[in-house]
Amino acid sequence: MSNPFNPFTVANATWISPQGEEIPIYTGVRFRGINDTGTRAEKFTYWDQLFDIGLRGEMGEFADYLKTWNWELGFRYSRNEGQDLSVGEVSSPGLRDALLDTNPATAFDPFLNFNGHNTRAARSAVYVTLHNSGEYELPIYYATFNGDLFNLPAGPVSFAIGGEYDAPRFTRDRDALNNTFSTIGSVDGQSFKVNRDIWGVYEEVRVPFTSPTWNFWGFYSFEVDFAEREEWYSNNTNTVLTPFTAAAHTKYNAQKPKVSVRWQPLDPKYIGAVTLRGSYTEAFHAPTLSEIAPAGSQNFPSINDPFSPLTEPQIEERVSGNPFLHPEVAYEWTYGIVYSPKWIKGMTLSADWWHIDMRDIVATLGAQAIIEQNPPTPGVTQNGPLVFRSPSTIPGVNGPVTIVLDPNDNLSGAVFEGLDYEAIYILDSTIFGGGDWGRLTTTVNGTWLSRAEFQADANSKRFGINGSFQPTAFTLTNSLPWHRANGSIFYDGPADTWMQGLDVGAVVHWTGQYEDDNISLTGGKPNEPRSGPNGGGNERRARKISAWTTLDLILNYTFNLPPPASAEVPGFAKDGGKNVRSGKDGKEKNVVPVSTAEYGCSNWKWWLNNTTVTLGMQNVMDEDPPYAAGSFENGYDEQLATIKGRFWYVGLKKRF
């Protein structure tokens, strides 16, 4: 009320200052500072470094037993640095002080019309440039050895072993205003520093029990692959003051196996090649460095508060890491078939059923789920630990949500099941008995999601999420339509002609319809996504997101020029050759040197050879993505679609 430009004489709220002083204020005034600063701008600068060195070789020189063995050693170091300058952002304390200022020369006037602007002194106090930077470095040491252990009647037993050491370090330096969540218009977040040391060992052995060279009926080829990987982790995180989290040091390790089987029961000469395959895998995934860093980062998801009509549709959420996370684990099995029929040359059909059981998933629960799982106590202003509300202005009605804390956690789990399928037909023009007119390749592949269930925590029931839109606040997965498929047809020119480098075709992408974010749209429970809170036919209607189909065209041409004719190199000897000793007998043989030179870089053919020219167009029909009501920011599902419309491009690639 002390602002000299304030036209109101009666306050509608009271603000408690950091010193505990009650200051009368007037709220609800909206101001857009276009003429104060112009549009906001971001300037990003990156510095990247990469060093890679390695050695590889064969071990046959040491012993005849090791003639199939190979080794490889290497070291890679990468460092990525970045700086972000945010121009024209608003300082919350600067704005607060300028609004409370009683001097018209320095006070901030939020009551200006659209064309007005504040004084230079007021603008300099309110609008700032934020400086944020970060560094990520990763040194990697690795070594591998592989070869044949011994021979079975069906073939050699192959073995591989390797080790690796990684030491990632991640530092994020935030501007002081961002670090204290004191800006408006910028995404605030806290600084952090985290590092990790990882030691890993893996082994793999492949055993051919039968093969085309040694088999019996029903087991034309049968092989089993056994693999195992073990890793040890050591993590260090820094202290965060708000909310206070002490520096932590954690350790854990994981050891997981994998077994896969490949079985061809019959000789392809009977009905064609039939291959049955299956695998069982136990996997683990360590939390990322940002997931264990306890620093918080600001987010503004769209939500629907089932406990208060006073909550805004978009609220503040602070997502933070958790130093005490442990690796998430998964149990996966797949089984499928690949069939190339004898009577349709060039056709291959495949189908694989897969099942993934994920446990201890590292993810944030999302503001919507946290609000639903933490109902307020009637008559009491909710003040944590995860949901915070302001006092209600209406008796008997819960106050609005002001902030939600959303820490990373090892959530209970999720189960996914589905079918991957593919059909490929390669039509080679030579099968008709005439000349070579090229090859036509047709492909259809897709995924049908049969089951997707998510369990938020150990105390909640598992509910289905397949065939539904997933808001950006849900970090476990993208949206999950029931069915997605692609179809393509490509033509490759005939060999040994100027058309052999031609590759032209079309690709169709299709996404079937799926449910919108009906939990948020209707305010329903996770297990009842189509229910509404009002009943009697007056509920907010659930909806579906329409199917989307796009067409892409692509044309590639690669220049493959014939090399220069080989020629003898004159001048070594009068007879055009030279005598050298070779072979175990040590006898001299006459060898004529042959030029291996190709086109020189000064020759235009050298530049043109192995050069690929690409011309393509995406979304030829300029199809707009279907409307998604659950996508508050954009109105479409940015996880699966794009709004860039028809897009053409040209590419040029030279292979040296």
Side-chain angles (χ1 to χ4, degrees):
M1 299 302 293
S2 60
N3 188 286
F5 306 105
N6 188 2
F8 302 100
T9 58
V10 179
N12 66 355
T14 300
W15 175 64
I16 307 299
S17 71
Q19 293 76 29
E21 181 182 2
E22 295 185 358
I23 300 177
I25 60 173
Y26 191 90
T27 63
V29 177
R30 297 180 181 271
F31 174 77
R32 185 177 295 273
I34 293 179
N35 287 331
D36 273 356
T37 63
T39 57
R40 290 177 294 181
E42 299 272 351
K43 181 181 179 181
F44 297 94
T45 306
Y46 299 100
W47 300 269
D48 296 331
Q49 304 172 33
L50 176 63
F51 176 77
D52 199 348
I53 186 172
L55 297 171
R56 65 164 62 105
E58 300 176 351
M59 303 177 66
E61 59 184 301
F62 300 109
D64 189 60
Y65 171 78
L66 300 176
K67 62 183 180 181
T68 63
W69 284 76
N70 303 293
W71 60 271
E72 183 175 353
L73 305 173
F75 169 73
R76 165 173 285 205
Y77 175 82
S78 62
R79 180 180 176 88
N80 310 100
E81 299 181 53
Q83 182 185 70
D84 172 21
L85 300 181
S86 301
V87 182
E89 307 291 359
V90 176
S91 165
S92 293
L95 177 61
R96 181 176 61 245
D97 294 341
L99 289 173
L100 297 175
D101 196 342
T102 58
N103 184 354
T106 55
F108 189 84
D109 183 1
F111 306 99
L112 293 171
N113 59 35
F114 190 79
N115 297 319
H117 62 84
N118 280 280
T119 64
R120 177 175 295 182
R123 295 198 306 269
S124 63
V126 173
Y127 302 107
V128 296
T129 297
L130 304 174
H131 299 255
N132 289 279
S133 63
E135 302 86 33
Y136 183 89
E137 63 176 346
L138 176 61
I140 301 176
Y141 303 84
Y142 64 91
T144 61
F145 300 88
N146 62 83
D148 297 336
L149 292 176
F150 52 87
N151 289 319
L152 293 176
V157 176
S158 302
F159 178 74
I161 186 171
E164 185 175 310
Y165 169 72
D166 303 347
R169 276 91 172 104
F170 189 14
T171 301
R172 191 78 163 89
D173 294 314
R174 301 270 196 170
D175 189 278
L177 291 173
N178 288 126
N179 207 30
T180 55
F181 298 91
S182 300
T183 73
I184 300 174
S186 174
V187 178
D188 291 330
Q190 297 167 308
S191 301
F192 63 85
K193 186 175 183 180
V194 58
N195 69 276
R196 165 182 287 164
D197 295 294
I198 311 169
W199 295 265
V201 177
Y202 54 89
E203 313 89 25
E204 182 175 1
V205 59
R206 183 173 65 247
V207 182
F209 291 95
T210 63
S211 70
T213 60
W214 188 84
N215 59 80
F216 50 88
W217 193 90
F219 285 87
Y220 178 74
S221 177
F222 184 80
E223 64 181 37
V224 181
D225 192 279
F226 304 92
E228 183 185 55
R229 186 179 185 93
E230 184 168 10
E231 290 187 349
W232 296 264
Y233 292 80
S234 176
N235 310 296
N236 297 285
T237 58
N238 66 313
T239 300
V240 172
L241 298 179
T242 308
F244 180 79
T245 305
H249 172 70
T250 57
K251 291 183 178 181
Y252 45 76
N253 72 291
Q255 182 179 15
K256 299 297 178 181
K258 176 182 178 180
V259 180
S260 60
V261 177
R262 182 180 178 275
W263 175 29
Q264 284 186 266
L266 300 174
D267 191 321
K269 67 181 181 181
Y270 295 115
I271 61 172
V274 178
T275 302
L276 304 176
R277 59 191 181 189
S279 67
Y280 171 76
T281 304
E282 294 183 9
F284 65 92
H285 177 261
T288 65
L289 295 184
S290 58
E291 288 173 338
I292 64 174
S297 183
Q298 198 176 49
N299 189 25
F300 291 93
S302 57
I303 58 97
N304 184 296
D305 185 359
F307 307 113
S308 175
L310 304 179
T311 300
E312 295 286 340
Q314 193 174 21
I315 63 164
E316 180 182 358
E317 176 190 36
R318 294 186 185 177
V319 180
S320 62
N322 182 352
F324 302 101
L325 294 173
H326 51 266
E328 57 191 20
V329 296
Y331 303 88
E332 175 183 357
W333 53 88
T334 66
Y335 42 90
I337 183 173
V338 181
Y339 179 46
S340 297
K342 178 182 178 181
W343 50 86
I344 307 180
K345 185 178 180 180
M347 174 172 282
T348 301
L349 306 173
S350 66
D352 291 277
W353 183 266
W354 47 267
H355 174 99
I356 303 174
D357 184 355
M358 302 176 64
R359 304 177 187 179
D360 288 339
I361 300 170
V362 176
T364 55
L365 191 56
Q368 181 68 46
I370 292 176
I371 292 173
E372 292 173 351
Q373 295 181 14
N374 292 270
T377 302
V380 179
T381 301
Q382 192 171 12
N383 191 36
L386 298 179
V387 180
F388 297 80
R389 298 176 182 268
S390 61
S392 175
T393 57
I394 302 176
V397 176
N398 293 312
V401 174
T402 56
I403 188 172
V404 173
L405 301 184
D406 192 2
N408 275 294
D409 202 355
N410 287 104
L411 306 179
S412 288
V415 176
F416 300 92
E417 277 185 356
L419 176 71
D420 292 339
Y421 59 88
E422 184 174 56
I424 301 175
Y425 179 61
I426 302 175
L427 177 62
D428 195 328
S429 61
T430 58
I431 66 173
F432 299 108
D436 184 1
W437 297 97
R439 186 173 63 176
L440 201 64
T441 303
T442 305
T443 303
V444 175
N445 56 53
T447 297
W448 176 60
L449 184 63
S450 170
R451 179 186 179 192
E453 296 179 346
F454 174 68
Q455 185 178 10
D457 55 53
N459 299 317
S460 61
K461 293 183 179 180
R462 185 182 295 170
F463 61 94
I465 58 175
N466 60 318
S468 63
F469 171 89
Q470 298 302 324
T472 55
F474 187 69
T475 58
L476 172 62
T477 181
N478 294 334
S479 296
L480 298 170
W482 286 287
H483 200 178
R484 300 180 70 186
N486 301 297
S488 66
I489 182 169
F490 278 86
Y491 170 76
D492 296 288
D496 301 323
T497 69
W498 67 270
M499 293 182 64
Q500 69 176 349
L502 180 64
D503 181 23
V504 59
V507 182
V508 175
H509 307 277
W510 176 78
T511 301
Q513 71 171 8
Y514 54 103
E515 302 283 351
D516 209 325
D517 184 15
N518 292 324
I519 294 179
S520 299
L521 295 177
T522 67
K525 298 295 184 182
N527 293 310
E528 300 175 354
R530 286 190 170 275
S531 65
N534 300 325
N538 193 32
E539 65 271 8
R540 288 164 284 184
R541 298 288 183 177
R543 64 180 306 276
K544 290 185 178 181
I545 299 174
S546 301
W548 193 43
T549 304
T550 60
L551 169 66
D552 298 344
L553 299 177
I554 186 171
L555 184 150
N556 292 307
Y557 188 82
T558 302
F559 294 90
N560 295 298
L561 305 180
S566 300
E568 297 180 359
V569 180
F572 282 94
K574 291 182 178 181
D575 58 359
K578 62 185 299 185
N579 294 330
V580 297
R581 293 183 181 274
S582 63
K584 294 183 178 180
D585 56 6
K587 295 181 179 180
E588 291 188 347
K589 295 181 181 180
N590 184 266
V591 178
V592 178
V594 177
S595 173
T596 59
E598 298 182 355
Y599 300 114
C601 61
S602 60
N603 190 310
W604 65 271
K605 292 183 178 180
W606 183 88
W607 289 100
L608 193 59
N609 193 35
N610 293 325
T611 297
T612 300
V613 180
T614 301
L615 177 63
M617 180 178 291
Q618 297 177 357
N619 196 357
V620 175
M621 308 306 293
D622 199 22
E623 294 286 340
D624 291 327
Y627 174 67
S631 181
F632 176 81
E633 302 90 346
N634 304 306
Y636 74 98
D637 191 348
E638 64 218 65
Q639 302 171 96
L640 302 182
T642 175
I643 59 171
K644 65 183 181 182
R646 184 185 295 115
F647 177 82
W648 67 271
Y649 59 93
V650 176
L652 181 66
K653 181 175 68 174
K654 165 66 177 175
R655 190 180 63 195
F656 296 95

